[in-house]
């Protein structure tokens, strides 16, 4: 796991308390940026590197990086210079570095580094910089952003192939809208690694994945009997997802299914260890059933249209898995507020916090970077990709979470590990991503 922070403030304050000053942190940041550039330019013969510099701390980081590279070019934007920038600029001038006086032809460079604003921007990009970013976007150069792509969250911003976070990963880089512009996220060590205890938000990595393990003398009853309340199609996908992810037994409460591996039931007829409810389900009367009172649950899809849903929100053993439109319905039920999908997608962390601060259940807010939240704890998965943008992916995920609940994972652990596994299968898919589907997702679980 990697620590995720809203901003650098608390982290940099901690570094200063330990004895690191701003100048030393900036030196470390610049060295880390230079090292990333060196690594990415190894296979580019005589790589031409351009730094686009703002005149604040982000630009000063770039100036330090230039000192640690054999050859680079720099173009400074015409903004008011702060003290640190002036100091770093003078050091370069003292060793004979020449800054570009005219706007360069961006197509002539192999690597372009954005050191304009980073996370320090609190205003709209000016027209001149927007014009420059449009030109850079047309360039085939490898693009690297220092800390945060300048203008991220605005209609037009720098589009990076790599973003080097200064010290810690910022939440904004894990918003859904950022995925297209941040590229691969790297972290620069400013002198001390982030203190995990100073945050309650974490980015999950492949090494964090925990799966169901079976002893050689195990039997099917050891790993839970999962009930699926869904329609024939979605229920089959959820059921197969649960089975492939380790469930011992799976029953679908429906008239028929598409798989002989799934048992059919008219009702709850035997021991039930966990249930997934709502996928394509028109009759939601099961949500009134007292037999679900002490059973871990996954509530998905049509459940968010039910007035009975609020009765489950105080339960720590319940996992909700809405996509953004369903989350709109959930917020309407809970807060009587009409929030648009667009607004949610622009402020996913804000609305996930608003919900989780009031309710005890686990929230899985689906999207390009799913957020798993319970109370103050947040976990984010960013290793998935567009392959999952296909009908049925969410049904499989519900079954996967239910499988872990049935195997006695607590609700938060079940959600974390199922969402991470779900994303890793898509990441591991090497063929054309548009050919991916829910059945390939289920099949891919065996390769984790």
């Amino acid at each position: 796991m990697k620590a995720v922070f809203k901003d650098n403030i608390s982290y940099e304050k901690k570094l200063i308390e330990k004895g690191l000053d701003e100048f030393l942190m900036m030196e470390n940041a610049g060295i880390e940026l230079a090292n990333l550039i060196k690594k990415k330019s190894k296979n580019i013969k005589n790589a031409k590197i351009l730094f686009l510099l703002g005149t604040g701390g982000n630009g000063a980081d770039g100036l330090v990086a230039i000192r640690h590279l054999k050859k680079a070019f720099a173009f400074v934007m015409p903004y008011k210079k702060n003290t640190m920038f002036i100091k770093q600029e003078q050091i370069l001038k003292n060793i004979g570095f020449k800054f570009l006086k005219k706007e360069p032809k961006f197509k002539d460079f192999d690597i372009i580094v954005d050191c304009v604003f980073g996370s320090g921007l609190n205003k709209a990009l000016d027209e001149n910089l927007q014009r420059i970013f449009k030109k850079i976007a047309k360039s085939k150069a490898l693009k690297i952003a220092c800390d945060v792509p300048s203008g991220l969250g605005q209609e037009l911003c720098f589009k990076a192939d790599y973003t080097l976070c200064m010290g810690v990963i910022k939440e904004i880089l894990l918003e859904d809208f950022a995925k297209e512009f941040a590229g691969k996220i790297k972290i620069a060590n400013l002198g001390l690694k982030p203190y995990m205890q100073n945050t309650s938000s974490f980015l999950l990595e492949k090494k964090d994945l925990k799966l169901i393990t079976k002893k050689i003398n195990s039997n099917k009853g050891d790993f839970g009997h999962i009930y699926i309340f869904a329609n024939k199609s979605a229920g089959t996908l959820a059921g197969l997802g649960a089975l492939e992810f380790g469930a011992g037994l799976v029953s679908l409460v429906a008239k028929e299914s598409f798989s002989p591996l799934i048992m059919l039931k008219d009702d709850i007829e035997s021991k039930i260890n966990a249930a997934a409810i709502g996928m394509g389900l028109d009759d939601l009367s099961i949500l009134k059933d007292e037999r679900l009172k002490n059973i871990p649950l996954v509530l998905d899809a049509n459940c968010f249209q039910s007035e009975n849903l609020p009765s489950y929100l105080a339960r720590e053993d319940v996992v909700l898995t809405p996509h953004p439109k369903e989350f709109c319905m959930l917020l309407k039920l809970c807060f009587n507020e009409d929030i648009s999908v667009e607004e949610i997608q622009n402020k996913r962390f804000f609305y996930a916090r608003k919900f989780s601060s009031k309710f005890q259940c686990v929230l899985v807010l689906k999207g390009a970077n799913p957020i798993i939240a319970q109370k103050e704890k947040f976990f984010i998965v960013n290793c998935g990709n567009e392959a999952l943008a296909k009908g049925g992916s969410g049904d499989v995920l519900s079954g996967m979470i239910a499988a872990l609940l049935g195997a006695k994972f607590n609700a938060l652990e079940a959600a974390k590990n199922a969402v991470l596994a779900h994303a890793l299968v898509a990441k591991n898919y090497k063929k054309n991503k548009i050919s991916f589907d829910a059945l390939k997702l289920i099949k891919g679980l065996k390769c984790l």
Side-chain angles (χ1 to χ4, degrees):
M1 286 187 291
K2 292 180 179 175
V4 177
F5 292 74
K6 285 186 178 180
D7 52 49
N8 272 27
I9 296 172
S10 61
Y11 170 63
E12 291 185 357
K13 182 179 179 182
K14 181 66 67 174
L15 295 189
I16 291 169
E17 289 174 0
K18 297 296 181 183
L20 280 76
D21 60 25
E22 186 180 6
F23 189 80
L24 182 54
M25 285 188 282
M26 184 167 286
E27 189 70 21
N28 290 334
I31 291 172
E32 292 275 275
L33 180 57
N35 287 340
L36 177 63
I37 294 167
K38 289 175 186 176
K39 184 177 179 180
K40 297 306 171 185
S41 63
K42 274 185 178 179
N43 297 324
I44 305 173
K45 188 176 180 180
N46 299 320
K48 290 189 69 176
I49 302 163
L50 173 68
F51 283 77
L52 188 63
L53 302 172
T55 52
N58 202 252
D61 289 342
L63 292 172
V64 174
I66 291 169
R67 280 198 277 111
H68 293 276
L69 293 169
K70 287 183 179 179
K71 187 177 182 181
F73 299 85
F75 181 68
V76 181
M77 298 301 297
Y79 305 138
K80 184 179 179 180
K81 299 175 182 179
N82 73 7
T83 303
M84 290 301 290
F85 185 90
I86 292 171
K87 183 173 185 177
Q88 295 293 350
E89 181 185 40
Q90 189 59 52
I91 293 172
L92 275 179
K93 288 181 177 179
N94 290 344
I95 59 175
F97 183 83
K98 302 296 183 182
F99 290 87
L100 297 175
K101 294 182 178 180
K102 294 182 179 180
E103 183 178 302
K105 293 181 179 180
F106 299 104
K107 63 181 179 63
D108 293 340
F109 293 89
D110 300 296
I111 297 176
I112 298 175
V113 188
D114 165 27
C115 294
V116 183
F117 290 118
S119 57
L121 184 65
N122 56 10
K123 60 183 179 180
L125 296 179
D126 60 79
E127 290 183 4
N128 184 44
L129 188 56
Q130 289 184 44
R131 178 186 58 79
I132 287 174
F133 281 171
K134 285 179 182 178
K135 284 187 176 183
I136 291 175
K138 295 177 182 178
S139 165
K140 294 180 180 179
L142 181 75
K143 301 170 185 70
I144 298 173
C146 178
D147 197 31
V148 171
S150 295
L152 186 63
Q154 299 184 29
E155 188 174 344
L156 193 149
C157 72
F158 185 85
K159 187 175 182 179
D161 297 298
Y162 291 88
T163 294
L164 183 66
C165 296
M166 292 304 158
V168 294
I169 299 176
K170 284 79 174 175
E171 272 186 7
I172 189 172
L173 290 169
L174 299 174
E175 293 278 9
D176 270 17
F177 64 75
K179 193 151 190 167
E180 180 183 354
F181 302 99
K184 293 182 179 179
I185 299 171
K186 305 290 184 179
I187 306 173
N189 187 339
L190 300 189
L192 288 172
K193 289 185 177 180
Y195 290 83
M196 299 291 264
Q197 65 266 31
N198 288 343
T199 183
S200 57
S201 297
F202 302 92
L203 179 65
L204 295 176
E205 303 173 273
K206 182 179 179 179
K207 63 184 179 182
D208 299 314
L209 182 63
K210 295 178 182 178
L211 302 173
I212 293 172
T213 55
K214 297 188 176 184
K215 295 181 180 178
I216 195 167
N217 61 344
S218 300
N219 68 75
K220 61 188 178 185
D222 295 333
F223 301 99
H225 188 166
I226 309 304
Y227 269 72
I228 309 289
F229 296 85
N231 69 12
K232 173 183 174 182
S233 179
T236 299
L237 293 174
L240 291 174
L243 281 172
E244 198 67 56
F245 209 46
L249 294 161
V250 175
S251 292
L252 173 61
V253 180
K255 296 299 181 184
E256 56 182 332
S257 82
F258 285 108
S259 174
L261 300 175
I262 300 170
M263 297 183 290
L264 291 174
K265 303 287 186 182
D266 292 323
D267 195 5
I268 299 173
E269 298 176 359
S270 57
K271 183 180 179 180
I272 173 172
N273 300 100
I277 303 172
M279 298 75 71
L281 187 65
D282 293 323
D283 181 3
L284 295 168
S285 59
I286 184 63
L287 292 177
K288 300 177 184 178
D289 199 312
E290 288 293 316
R291 291 174 293 179
L292 299 181
K293 195 170 184 180
N294 298 308
I295 298 167
L297 302 173
V298 182
L299 304 182
D300 188 21
N302 290 1
C303 287
F304 301 108
Q305 301 175 29
S306 173
E307 293 180 355
N308 295 306
L309 183 65
S311 64
Y312 290 88
L313 304 184
R315 288 178 50 177
E316 293 185 358
D317 62 346
V318 169
V319 181
L320 307 184
T321 60
H323 57 54
K325 188 173 181 179
E326 292 163 348
F327 195 45
C328 292
M329 300 177 192
L330 182 59
L331 293 176
K332 178 69 174 177
L333 274 173
C334 298
F335 302 102
N336 195 30
E337 294 180 3
D338 292 310
I339 310 296
S340 68
V341 170
E342 183 180 11
E343 188 171 353
I344 285 172
Q345 288 299 85
N346 284 333
K347 299 169 67 176
R348 284 167 59 85
F349 283 93
F350 173 83
Y351 285 107
R353 277 199 177 86
K354 179 173 182 174
F355 177 86
S356 296
S357 66
K358 183 173 181 180
F359 301 106
Q360 306 300 306
C361 61
V362 175
L363 171 69
V364 175
L365 179 54
K366 293 186 284 198
N369 291 333
I371 296 172
I372 305 104
Q374 187 174 40
K375 301 175 186 176
E376 76 285 351
K377 293 182 179 179
F378 274 63
F379 299 88
I380 307 97
V381 174
N382 77 332
C383 54
N385 55 45
E386 65 272 25
L388 291 169
K390 194 71 77 80
S393 295
D395 302 323
V396 176
L397 177 62
S398 293
M400 292 166 62
I401 298 172
L404 296 185
L405 291 174
K408 298 181 180 179
F409 283 57
N410 67 44
L412 182 58
E413 289 299 311
K416 284 166 51 182
N417 286 288
V419 172
L420 180 56
H422 192 255
L424 287 171
V425 172
K427 182 180 180 181
N428 293 340
Y429 187 69
K430 302 304 180 186
K431 298 180 181 178
N432 192 321
K433 290 181 177 59
I434 63 172
S435 70
F436 194 74
D437 57 43
L439 293 176
K440 291 184 177 71
L441 171 58
I442 293 165
K443 186 177 180 180
L445 291 172
K446 66 184 66 176
C447 300
L448 291 172

